[in-house]
Amino acid sequence: MPPRYPRDFHGHGPDRPDAAWPDGARIALSFVVNYEEGGENCLLHGDAASEAFLSEIVGAAPWPGQRHWNMESIYDYGARAGFWRLHRLFTGANIPVTVYGVATALARSPAQVAAMQDADWEIASHGLKWIDYKDFSKADEAADMAAAIELHTQVTGSPPKGWYTGRASENTVALAAQQGFDWISDTYDDDLPYWAEAGDRDQLIIPYTLDCNDMRFATAQGFNSGDQFYAYLRDTFDALYAEGVEGQPAMMSVGLHCRLVGRPGRVQALRRFVEYVQGHEGVWCARRADIAAHWAEHHPHQRRVRPSELGHEAFVEQFGGVFEHSPWVAEGAWGLELGRAHDTALGLHSAMCRVFRAAPPEDRLRVLQAHPDLAGKLAAARRLTDDSTAEQASAGLDALTDAERETFAAMNSAYVAKHGFPFIIAVRDHSKAGILRAFERRVNNGTEVEFDEACRQVERIARLRLEAIL
């Protein structure tokens, strides 16, 4: 196989599906509490250095071989005070929450776990430890993932149904998909859930957020005050809510950390946002488990032919006739760097047109000459390709009167005599009368002009054929 591009720039496409949220909700809102305190880098946890990420310490750096007392104390605040402040806020507002729980952190916080369960919060897995996996081998990351699931099950009484590593590697999603989770959130690439195909498994992805996230209180060019955090959450909500009113409902995630937004000077911004949301109708505040169950029921995955995954022979067999009697266009397209963006009619058309346009004029001329005359001798002898037969029939060219047939024959002869290739037009875009008018207008054009126009029409015909296939 030639190179295949693994990233997906197409996604749901220009018209995202109707989420059909419960009770006609205009937006789904997911609040996530990251519980990491006790799972961060620390010599006490067997790590080589102290934690340096997402704290009040500006410019923090790892301390190899040393405990960082101030860093540990800041994390302790999240467990001792911040968690309970968030717990009171959400239970008081009767808003369900998803917890991203680091397994070792949960094991060190039995009171907090009990409170999560008493509130019917969903506890998903946030990995074994809250560390960076970018440099881990595949085997070592998989081993930590298995250990996280085992410890999570021991601590909570049941295995996690959802997964989010956060400080992920390029292997994380693929490894997590092998575990059978209902959902995975290690992406930030959409406003709606979507399905990923992982071998034989159809894996639901519920994208997460790094912008509507209190982590920006602890990063450069982030939030400096609660007012900034509230304004950003409100504006995001307003934009998505308006799209929902217009018939394109999406989802919004809000990422929270006990040691960050759990501080008194920040939690009021979150409280104002909760009150703002509750002042709107048609808002579905849901755990990610609920969103996953809804999506699986209302938008089950359907596998289909993906051109980018076909071998050479199958690809050419399926798409070799898209450009009339010119399989070399499909062969050239198969050799390009295809990806998920080319698995649609529009995407594959783009790749095939690249090949056609890059070809020398004599090769493109042969494509033009491979097209049949409209209502010509091949049609009368029933020797057209299936595509050409259907296309000409769509405009009524298979049911001409004798007079109309004579007119087409005369115009075909005049056009070919002048330009050296048949008159080409995407007949599905026109009526019989419109085709005749175009014939009369274009026969008098210069050959260079007509060559360019005929090539454009060939590309249009190819697009229509691909839409019929895909």
Side-chain angles (χ1 to χ4, degrees), residues 6-55:
R7 293 164 65 188
D8 182 358
F9 292 128
H10 185 74
H12 290 299
D15 299 311
R16 65 189 183 209
D18 181 358
W21 300 132
D23 300 319
R26 297 164 182 172
I27 186 172
L29 182 56
S30 168
F31 287 98
V32 174
V33 172
N34 292 264
Y35 197 83
E36 300 157 349
E37 289 75 12
E40 78 281 5
N41 284 286
C42 179
L43 264 64
L44 297 176
H45 305 159
D47 300 306
S50 61
E51 185 58 68
F53 192 39
L54 297 189
S55 79

Side-chain angles (χ1 to χ4, degrees), residues 222-298:
F223 302 124
N224 291 318
S225 71
D227 288 343
Q228 292 175 338
F229 184 45
Y230 168 70
Y232 193 86
L233 295 182
R234 182 199 61 212
D235 288 350
T236 302
F237 175 86
D238 286 348
L240 294 175
Y241 189 84
E243 291 176 8
V245 171
E246 294 167 358
Q248 292 253 297
M251 68 170 288
M252 176 182 177
S253 297
V254 179
L256 307 168
H257 298 76
C258 302
R259 66 192 175 280
L260 296 177
V261 80
R263 293 279 176 175
R266 297 173 182 144
V267 76
Q268 289 300 91
L270 178 60
R271 189 183 306 278
R272 288 200 300 274
F273 179 66
V274 167
E275 292 170 351
Y276 181 76
V277 165
Q278 291 185 322
H280 289 71
E281 296 181 351
V283 179
W284 183 40
C285 291
R287 304 172 306 175
R288 294 175 102 72
D290 304 320
I291 293 170
H294 173 88
W295 201 265
E297 178 182 356
H298 293 272

Side-chain angles (χ1 to χ4, degrees), residues 31 86-95 97 121 256 270 274:
F31 287 98
L86 297 181
H87 186 267
R88 290 192 295 271
L89 170 58
F90 285 116
T91 55
N94 197 31
I95 288 179
V97 168
W121 288 4
L256 307 168
L270 178 60
V274 167

